[in-house]
């Protein structure tokens, strides 16, 4: 095991995959010369050259469309969209083109591309740089959606995403880039569609992903002191969703709370709650709860920004109220 | 920049206009420097993109507008806001996230707007404001008003599809909009030469039937004159104009970017053509200059105090407004 930062783990994944497969290439704004705003692609231009590490103009819709085209002729492009908020500019290419191509071509073509992007609140960046928009992609058949919470997962999942033959939307969290954690010294892939139990427990299941996994683990540590033993399931990929791990956990504990930073309305949590109702109703001791972001744009001011996303206290209170 | 009109000269503009322009250039310069200090003290968070070095573009353009005319701004928007007549107190309160700010502390530096000033808003999305400006011009046409709209944006935004589409439509409908392309030669760290195969940005206008001209963006009078001509043209119903104002940032892309990638020789050359100094030479009267500077300093300190003393937004009231 090696200790590294989330962003270093991402870089290592890109580096290894570029080394392994000459058809992997990167496109995005200031990713080459400057190494990316979050330093994920630092050093890759020097190593792989300007043919495979490409700085683009501010032309998200078109360079994402170019990734679709390059994927169709056999490459494995990884595009970086600096903020998931800006991914709203590329919705046609992702939703209408990338996600549909295999289907509408009757299976003749595949779009093995990755759209790496980053979301979440917490840095005072206000309403157009702080959103959590995964539900939009989760809703679209034909896309895979990955949201790692740890350096090891970031590393292993990005490698799998690059090797995957479908378009993958890979959403990082801005508060995770500098977090540290162990990453296997040997090459290790994390398969898409496998949740991980980040903390086993008997009394209730917290179902979560991305940065909120850290908040749930903190909440679990608080609850442990009160004798409440919480299981934390990190979904890691939203599509494909690991319903097996999820259902098995809830069947064991009988109680479930879905926790995510994205707005509650229309969020992934509602879908998971419905799934639990349909598949595990008889095993539940009570209704499935959702703890999620408020249904509001994220404000600039720090105090009200904090009030928009779930806190550890809120998760703790939610669990206390149900056990 | 080949066809740039060098226009720094003892200007034949009304003195009142020259004084207004100098006030706005100087106020922007001092405001930005003060914001950087406040950022270092932790009183401003998030993104802060100083307009240092580019002050003459906004000051020159806005001096050619009437209060009822509209502007659309960018992430680097403090200069546009000040030159449109903003109250520095409300700006500073917004940028420090206070309830008394222009947007109640919800928007911050990147999202200041003011209905009262007909300032339709800064923008966190590069290029996001360009179609909004064209749309405001469309609205004016529908309402049969005589206002014009100035869309401020920079070279980076001009490489986004919305620029081409908006220019094209403004050309079709002869909209009263002025596309003010502040060519500061960089999009973050990407020099314009690396972001387009043809650096004649003003030349993109004629491709859509929109006249395009190039001016020295550090010379506020040149920008003022070009904007005045474009505004008159728009009011005559002859449609949009594209103005490429050449300028340069005095530092990095944002407050935490040292801008080491910037060519030091070029930076030095541009700094030697400081918009503050150029406008001082045009105003020429040291007494008037001093009087303006004194007033700005007092206003600025009052703004900082006002922001410091202003309350934070109320969390409970904020949450109570949110629908389930
Ligand atoms: C659609 C979009 N893409 C990327 C960004 C990130 N970004 C913020 S400012 C900026 C550079 C903008 O360059 P330019 O338009 O030249 O404006 P300048 O900063 O020079 O004023 C970039 C890429 C963004 N905010 N919006
Ligand atoms: Mg620029």
């Amino acid at each position: 095991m090696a200790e590294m930062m989330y962003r270093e783990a991402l870089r290592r994944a890109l580096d290894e995959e570029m080394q392994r497969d000459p058809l992997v290439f990167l496109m995005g704004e200031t990713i080459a010369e400057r190494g990316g705003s979050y330093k994920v692609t630092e050093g890759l231009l020097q190593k792989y050259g300007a043919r495979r590490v490409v700085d683009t103009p501010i032309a998200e819709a078109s360079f994402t469309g170019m990734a679709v085209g390059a994927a169709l002729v056999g490459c494995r492009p990884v595009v970086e969209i600096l903020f998931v908020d800006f991914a709203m500019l590329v919705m046609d290419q992702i939703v209408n083109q990338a996600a549909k191509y295999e289907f509408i071509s009757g299976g003749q073509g595949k779009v093995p591309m990755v759209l790496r992007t980053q979301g979440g609140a917490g840095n005072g960046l206000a309403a157009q740089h702080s959103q959590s928009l995964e539900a939009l992609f989760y809703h679209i058949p034909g896309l895979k959606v990955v949201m790692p919470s740890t350096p090891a997962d970031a590393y292993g999942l990005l490698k799998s995403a690059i090797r995957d033959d479908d378009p993958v939307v890979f959403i990082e969290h801005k508060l995770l880039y500098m977090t540290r954690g162990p990453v296997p010294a040997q090459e290790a892939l994390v398969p898409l569609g496998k949740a991980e139990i980040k903390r086993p427990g008997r009394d209730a299941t917290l179902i979560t992903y991305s940065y909120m996994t850290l908040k749930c683990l903190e909440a679990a540590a608080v609850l442990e002191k009160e004798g409440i033993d919480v299981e934390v399931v990190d979904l890691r990929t939203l599509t494909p969703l690991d319903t097996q791990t999820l259902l098995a956990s809830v069947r064991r504990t009988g109680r479930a709370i879905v926790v995510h930073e994205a707005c509650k309305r229309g969020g992934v949590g509602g879908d998971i709650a419905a799934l639990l109702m349909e598949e595990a109703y008889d095993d539940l001791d009570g209704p499935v709860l959702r703890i999620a972001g408020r249904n509001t744009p994220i404000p600039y001011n720090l105090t009200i920004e904090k009030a928009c996303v779930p806190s550890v206290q809120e998760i703790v209170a939610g669990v206390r109220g149900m056990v | 920049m080949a066809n740039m009109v060098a226009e720094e000269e003892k200007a034949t503009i009304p003195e009142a206009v020259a004084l207004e322009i100098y006030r706005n250039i100087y106020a922007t310069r001092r405001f930005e420097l003060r914001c950087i200090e406040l950022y270092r003290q932790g009183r401003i968070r998030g993104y802060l993109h100083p307009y240092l070095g580019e002050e003459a573009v906004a000051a020159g353009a806005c001096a050619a507008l009437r209060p009822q005319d509209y502007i659309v701004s960018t992430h680097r928007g403090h200069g546009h806001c000040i030159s449109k007549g903003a109250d520095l107190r409300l700006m500073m309160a917004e940028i420090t996230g206070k309830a008394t700010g222009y947007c109640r502390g919800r928007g911050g530096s990147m999202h200041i707007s003011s209905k009262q000033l007909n300032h339709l808003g800064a923008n966190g999305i590069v290029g996001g404001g360009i179609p909004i400006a064209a749309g405001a011009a469309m609205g004016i046409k529908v309402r049969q008003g005589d206002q014009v709209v100035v869309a401020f944006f920079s070279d980076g935004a001009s490489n986004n599809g919305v620029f081409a589409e908006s220019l094209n439509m403004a050309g079709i409908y002869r909209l009263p909009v002025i596309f003010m392309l502040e060519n500061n030669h960089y999009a973050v760290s990407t020099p314009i030469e690396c972001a387009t195969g043809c650096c004649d940005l003003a030349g993109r206008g004629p491709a859509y039937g929109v006249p395009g001209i190039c001016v020295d963006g550090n010379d506020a009078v040149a920008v003022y004159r070009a904007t005045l001509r474009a505004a008159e043209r728009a009011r005559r119903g002859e449609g949009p104009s594209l103005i490429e104002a050449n300028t340069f940032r005095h530092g990095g892309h944002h407050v935490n970017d040292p801008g080491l990638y910037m060519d030091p020789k070029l930076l030095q050359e541009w700094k030697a053509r400081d918009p503050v100094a150029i406008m001082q030479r045009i105003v020429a009267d040291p007494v008037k200059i001093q009087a303006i500077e004194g007033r700005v300093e007092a206003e600025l300190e009052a703004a900082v105090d006002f922001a410091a003393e202003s309350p934070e937004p109320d969390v409970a009231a904020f949450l109570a407004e949110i629908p389930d």
Side-chain angles (χ1 to χ4, degrees):
Chain A
M1 287 284 175
E3 261 299 286
M4 64 174 76
M5 279 192 274
Y6 189 86
R7 69 179 185 201
E8 292 166 339
L10 291 165
R11 188 187 310 139
R12 180 174 153 203
L14 291 172
D15 189 2
E16 285 177 8
E17 292 308 299
M18 290 183 81
Q19 186 84 53
R20 172 180 174 272
D21 180 354
L23 295 172
V24 175
F25 77 100
L26 316 182
M27 267 198 292
E29 291 161 23
T30 62
I31 63 160
E33 291 283 353
R34 196 158 171 257
S37 279
Y38 289 94
K39 301 277 168 240
V40 172
T41 51
E42 201 162 54
L44 297 178
L45 170 69
Q46 291 70 20
K47 193 158 174 189
Y48 298 103
R51 196 169 50 85
R52 293 177 67 199
V53 185
V54 182
D55 271 334
T56 66
I58 306 169
E60 288 85 0
S62 295
F63 73 68
T64 303
M66 286 163 68
V68 177
L72 286 174
V73 300
C75 292
R76 290 188 178 269
V78 181
V79 296
E80 179 179 297
I81 303 278
L82 212 48
F83 285 78
V84 73
D85 315 69
F86 314 159
M88 300 304 96
L89 279 76
V90 313
M91 283 310 238
D92 172 58
Q93 288 299 332
I94 287 296
V95 174
N96 293 325
Q97 315 299 341
K100 307 289 191 285
Y101 194 91
E102 183 183 359
F103 184 85
I104 57 185
S105 70
Q108 297 175 80
K110 291 224 169 234
V111 185
M113 66 176 282
V114 178
L115 187 151
R116 273 188 54 238
T117 186
Q118 164 274 121
N123 276 346
L125 301 181
Q128 296 173 342
H129 289 71
S130 304
Q131 298 175 85
S132 297
L133 297 172
E134 62 273 14
L136 301 180
F137 302 106
Y138 176 76
H139 188 65
I140 304 299
L143 295 180
K144 290 179 175 164
V145 183
V146 181
M147 295 189 74
S149 68
T150 65
D153 288 346
Y155 164 73
L157 287 166
L158 183 53
K159 287 173 71 80
S160 295
I162 293 170
R163 293 185 198 185
D164 199 273
D165 283 337
D166 294 322
V168 178
V169 179
F170 191 95
I171 310 177
E172 298 150 19
H173 195 291
K174 57 173 69 63
L175 298 183
L176 289 174
Y177 286 115
M178 309 280 270
T179 58
R180 292 181 166 280
V183 177
Q186 300 296 314
E187 177 172 77
L189 276 76
V190 174
L192 305 188
K194 272 312 289 157
E196 185 178 65
I197 297 174
K198 287 283 196 292
R199 181 193 190 282
R202 285 166 315 186
D203 299 329
T205 301
L206 290 173
I207 300 159
T208 189
Y209 53 89
S210 188
Y211 181 61
M212 279 297 141
T213 305
L214 276 58
K215 297 282 157 198
C216 286
L217 288 169
E218 275 182 59
V222 173
L223 289 160
E224 185 180 328
K225 295 199 189 91
E226 302 172 14
I228 302 173
D229 188 19
V230 176
E231 180 145 303
V232 177
V233 177
D234 177 3
L235 294 174
R236 303 199 292 195
T237 64
L238 301 182
T239 329
L241 186 65
D242 183 359
T243 49
Q244 223 179 349
T245 301
L246 226 159
L247 286 167
S249 171
V250 173
R251 287 193 174 117
R252 259 184 283 114
T253 63
R255 299 181 184 91
I257 305 184
V258 194
V259 183
H260 58 61
E261 180 175 335
C263 297
K264 188 186 245 184
R265 187 195 303 130
V268 172
D271 200 48
I272 290 174
L275 174 96
L276 295 177
M277 296 275 283
E278 286 167 356
E279 305 286 331
Y281 187 77
D282 293 335
D283 300 297
L284 287 168
D285 294 333
V288 179
L289 224 68
R290 288 173 296 162
I291 296 178
R294 315 283 171 261
N295 298 326
T296 170
I298 303 292
Y300 163 66
N301 173 276
L302 175 63
T303 333
I304 51 177
E305 178 190 27
K306 274 199 180 132
C308 290
V309 297
S311 62
V312 172
Q313 298 90 299
E314 201 181 341
I315 302 167
V316 167
V319 175
R320 274 189 202 132
M322 85 175 354
V323 294
Chain B
M1 254 200 282
N3 58 337
M4 184 158 87
V5 190
E7 237 185 299
E8 188 191 333
E9 59 188 74
K10 177 82 180 160
T12 52
I13 57 168
E15 189 185 37
V17 175
L19 295 179
E20 178 196 330
I21 290 176
Y22 184 65
R23 185 272 174 195
N24 289 334
I25 289 181
Y26 186 77
T28 304
R29 173 65 51 93
R30 292 290 304 127
F31 190 88
E32 295 296 51
L33 291 171
R34 202 73 174 85
C35 281
I36 293 171
E37 280 171 34
L38 294 174
Y39 194 95
R40 303 276 176 241
Q41 293 164 13
R43 286 168 62 188
I44 297 175
R45 312 169 63 228
Y47 278 139
L48 185 70
H49 304 90
Y51 196 59
L52 293 170
E54 308 185 28
E55 299 91 340
V57 183
C62 290
L65 301 181
R66 304 161 305 170
Q68 64 267 37
D69 294 325
Y70 290 94
I71 65 163
V72 168
S73 168
T74 68
H75 57 283
R76 199 179 302 288
H78 297 175
H80 312 138
C81 196
I82 290 173
S83 294
K84 193 70 176 66
D87 183 335
L88 299 189
R89 292 176 311 151
L90 306 192
M91 271 184 80
M92 199 55 99
E94 185 57 39
I95 294 166
T96 53
K98 296 303 182 77
T100 52
Y102 269 117
C103 311
R104 302 160 71 192
R106 295 176 179 198
S109 168
M110 253 189 321
H111 300 294
I112 300 186
S113 64
S114 165
K115 190 167 169 129
Q116 187 227 332
L117 297 171
N118 280 355
H119 177 344
L120 295 176
N123 211 308
I125 303 299
V126 170
I130 302 176
I132 292 176
M138 183 75 126
I140 290 166
K141 215 175 155 180
V142 169
R143 287 190 333 218
Q144 300 185 298
D146 75 338
Q147 294 129 305
V148 302
V149 186
V150 172
F152 291 101
F153 57 97
S154 188
D155 47 291
S158 78
N159 291 324
N160 195 282
V162 287
F163 170 72
E165 295 177 8
S166 299
L167 216 64
N168 187 47
M169 284 191 281
I172 305 174
Y173 309 123
R174 291 179 181 270
L175 300 178
V177 56
I178 300 165
F179 297 100
M180 182 62 70
L181 198 172
E182 308 179 292
N183 185 358
N184 60 6
H185 299 82
Y186 285 97
V188 190
S189 55
T190 308
I192 182 66
E193 310 83 72
C194 299
T196 177
C198 172
C199 289
D200 175 14
L201 304 184
R204 294 178 184 183
Y208 296 102
V210 178
I213 66 153
C214 209
V215 298
D216 177 356
N218 281 24
D219 178 358
V221 175
V223 178
Y224 167 74
R225 288 217 179 98
T227 310
L228 206 57
R229 280 194 292 273
E232 281 160 5
R233 178 184 139 83
R235 286 194 194 104
R236 286 196 304 269
E238 290 168 23
S241 304
L242 169 63
I243 300 173
E244 176 187 352
N246 280 283
T247 184
F248 215 73
R249 298 185 319 229
H250 278 188
H253 171 64
H254 54 57
V255 63
N256 287 331
D257 170 18
L260 299 176
Y261 48 82
M262 295 172 85
D263 177 352
K265 196 171 145 278
L266 212 52
L267 181 59
Q268 225 23 64
E269 279 169 27
W270 280 95
K271 278 191 167 172
R273 304 195 53 260
D274 186 347
V276 176
I278 292 177
M279 201 58 209
Q280 278 174 350
R281 288 200 291 276
I282 291 169
V283 172
D285 183 339
V287 178
K288 286 185 176 141
I289 288 171
Q290 238 178 17
I292 287 173
E293 294 181 356
R295 280 199 300 276
V296 166
E297 297 301 337
E299 249 186 89
L300 186 56
E301 282 325 294
V304 174
D305 292 344
F306 174 80
E309 287 155 16
S310 288
E312 294 273 318
D314 183 69
V315 179
F318 171 77
L319 290 176
E321 272 183 42
I322 298 174
D324 283 334

